[in-house]
Amino acid sequence: MRYQFLFRHLFLLWLLACVACAAPSTGVPSAQSNRVILRLWHAWPAADSRVLQTLVDQFNQAHPQWQIVVQARPAVSLPTDLVTAVNEGSGPHLALVQSHTLGLLASAGSIRSLDDLLSPADLQSLLPAAVGAARATVGDQPALFGMPINFDTLALYYNRANVLQPPTSVDELLLMARALTDRDRVPPVWGLAYNLSLDRTIGYLYAFGGRVFDEQGAVVLGDSGRPGTERWLAWLAGLYRDEQVLATLDGVVVDRVLQAREAIMTIDWAHAQADYRAIWNDQLGVTTLPILAETEQAPQPYVQADVIVVNARLTDPDAQAAVQAFMRYMVAVDSQRMLLAIGRQPTQLALQLSDNDLADRVQLAAARAFRAQAQHGLPMPADRIANELVWTTLSDMQLSAVRGLLTPEQAVTVADETLRRVFPAP
């Protein structure tokens, strides 16, 4: 009898555990607590995770009827883990993911649109490019699939000990970089170390007047977008061959030189700010990307975001009310100030970025530069086909032209033909 009781007890515990892991659509708590309990998956590193937990704890204390439970997951597998879990009828109620994964998650049916949960008023004070990055098109229907809580974009990093006044144009940047380069030293010192990867350079395609698609989504790379794109590719190829700057497709080389303090300027993403702070300490400078003087156009780098997404199976009204409140809380000024303190760029424009918002003046100056740049940036496409085909096609085009495998004209032609096979003219 004792063994039968023990077996029955263990079976009940197993059953309760299964129920807790499944059916995220309810978010319904036990009758004892009478609270809605929602699980949140994320892949933030340990230091950032502690701040996220603090924010969640404050939300839970302020809203005793709701409880958010934070669960860390591996960054590499978070999107696929989410798809698998939802397909099996479980998974978290909420997840923090990068915006470029939204197309994959939405097309897999793993996350739901937020258009019925968030009103225009919830979004009007947020950085427009970050909101744009939180949208994806599934079945020809664009929709908002995430609440953007922080954003990422490119800027020019520099060592203020060597650069008293940062360059405002590309011509100034290259003139200064060449003057600061000393190849006779061992090891050499580079005025500019630039990773020529597509994500760090595509903003200048638009400054040169290049285009891939028009406003209606038709491919224009090989016709109206051709002249500017060819000039952009020729410019990149020239940088690649310039012996007075370190401009390469090998990001490892660029990182090594920067880490060794053998470079003075670089272009990189906002999320790398802590790395450059460790290199240049309080001499770290951050400014917007230099304009292209020949067209008088500023580059339009991509803006991506960390977004809160909602399990497609979440349909319970009480759980949806908790989700709405939590999303609004995460973009409130006080919450956004806490994210800024750990180097995550706030999407809430009502946060003024004044001296009262952050004691660290270097970090605050950087935040102003990132916001100014993002206000002139483009939302990073989140659609699945943009990530799986368009990005690969453009990367191949850029690599072929930069390395001299094809002329810029040939590279554009090949890429245009590839894209038109997938996006035929109407």
Side-chain angles (χ1 to χ4, degrees):
M1 293 291 292
R2 184 175 64 182
Y3 293 109
Q4 290 178 340
F5 173 80
L6 180 60
F7 175 79
R8 187 178 306 162
H9 181 68
L10 290 173
F11 175 77
L12 287 173
L13 288 177
W14 173 84
L15 183 61
L16 287 172
C18 290
V19 170
C21 292
S25 62
T26 62
V28 177
S30 65
Q32 294 178 343
S33 65
N34 198 30
R35 289 187 297 180
V36 172
I37 301 176
L38 303 177
R39 286 179 298 130
L40 169 68
W41 280 7
H42 75 94
W44 283 13
D48 293 10
S49 178
R50 288 191 289 271
V51 173
L52 176 62
Q53 184 64 62
T54 298
L55 284 167
V56 169
D57 289 343
Q58 292 177 357
F59 175 82
N60 290 339
Q61 292 169 7
H63 303 89
Q65 73 274 32
W66 301 318
Q67 185 79 21
I68 307 293
V69 178
V70 178
Q71 296 178 336
R73 305 289 296 187
V76 174
S77 63
L78 176 57
T80 54
D81 289 348
L82 184 58
V83 171
T84 301
V86 175
N87 286 343
E88 292 175 350
S90 61
H93 306 86
L94 304 169
L96 256 175
V97 301
Q98 293 183 319
S99 59
H100 70 265
T101 66
L102 290 175
L104 166 68
L105 297 173
S107 61
S110 304
I111 58 175
R112 55 160 292 170
S113 165
L114 304 182
D115 287 331
D116 63 330
L117 293 180
L118 299 175
S119 69
D122 291 318
L123 306 173
Q124 65 182 4
S125 64
L126 302 184
L127 181 72
V131 175
R135 299 186 187 277
T137 300
V138 178
D140 296 327
Q141 293 297 320
L144 182 75
F145 283 98
M147 167 64 92
I149 65 169
N150 61 266
F151 74 88
D152 198 2
T153 196
L154 294 164
L156 176 68
Y157 290 89
Y158 62 97
N159 185 344
R160 292 191 294 117
N162 303 98
V163 178
L164 300 180
Q165 185 67 35
T168 59
S169 72
V170 171
D171 289 344
E172 289 180 12
L173 170 67
L174 296 179
L175 185 65
M176 185 180 297
R178 292 171 185 134
L180 291 169
T181 293
D182 186 352
R183 298 194 60 178
D184 293 331
R185 287 187 56 176
V186 181
V189 172
W190 298 97
L192 173 66
Y194 193 7
N195 180 350
L196 297 180
S197 62
L198 182 62
D199 64 298
R200 288 169 172 82
T201 60
I202 195 170
Y204 280 102
L205 178 148
Y206 303 104
F208 275 100
R211 291 293 182 272
V212 181
F213 299 95
D214 64 13
E215 289 76 9
Q216 288 71 44
V219 177
V220 295
L221 179 64
D223 42 60
S224 63
R226 178 183 286 275
T229 304
E230 289 182 4
R231 288 196 297 270
W232 171 66
L233 291 174
W235 175 68
L236 292 177
L239 286 178
Y240 186 69
R241 296 189 300 268
D242 193 327
E243 295 184 352
Q244 290 301 109
V245 297
L246 180 63
T248 174
L249 293 163
D250 190 340
V252 174
V253 171
V254 173
D255 289 343
R256 178 184 58 77
V257 167
L258 287 163
Q259 289 294 333
R261 296 179 173 83
E262 296 166 7
I264 296 169
M265 295 183 289
T266 192
I267 290 174
D268 208 342
W269 288 91
H271 71 255
Q273 178 186 350
D275 296 333
Y276 294 107
R277 186 66 181 273
I279 295 170
W280 293 321
N281 302 312
D282 289 345
Q283 294 301 316
L284 172 65
V286 182
T287 189
T288 54
L289 298 180
I291 68 168
L292 190 65
E294 64 184 82
T295 62
E296 298 184 347
Q297 294 297 314
Q300 294 180 281
Y302 280 142
V303 176
Q304 58 180 336
D306 282 343
V307 298
I308 301 174
V309 297
V310 179
N311 192 308
R313 298 176 182 271
L314 191 142
T315 57
D316 179 76
D318 292 334
Q320 290 180 359
V323 166
Q324 288 174 315
F326 181 65
M327 288 182 172
R328 290 164 180 162
Y329 163 80
M330 287 298 290
V331 296
V333 168
D334 289 342
S335 301
Q336 293 278 286
R337 186 178 290 111
M338 290 182 66
L339 294 179
L340 174 61
I342 58 172
R344 291 186 174 265
Q345 304 309 310
T347 58
Q348 179 57 261
L349 297 179
L351 183 63
Q352 296 298 316
L353 300 182
S354 65
D355 292 340
N356 295 327
D357 290 325
L358 201 65
D360 190 324
R361 293 183 178 273
V362 173
Q363 196 175 44
L364 186 59
R368 290 173 181 149
F370 291 128
R371 176 180 287 185
Q373 187 64 74
Q375 288 175 320
H376 293 89
L378 297 174
M380 177 173 280
D383 297 347
R384 186 171 184 176
I385 194 167
N387 287 298
E388 293 182 355
L389 180 115
V390 177
W391 194 259
T392 301
T393 301
L394 296 180
S395 295
D396 290 344
M397 176 186 73
Q398 183 211 35
L399 184 148
S400 298
V402 169
R403 288 185 172 172
L405 305 176
L406 298 173
T407 66
E409 181 182 4
Q410 291 169 334
V412 170
T413 297
V414 171
D416 182 77
E417 291 173 351
T418 301
L419 293 177
R420 288 181 188 276
R421 286 195 292 268
V422 181
F423 304 96

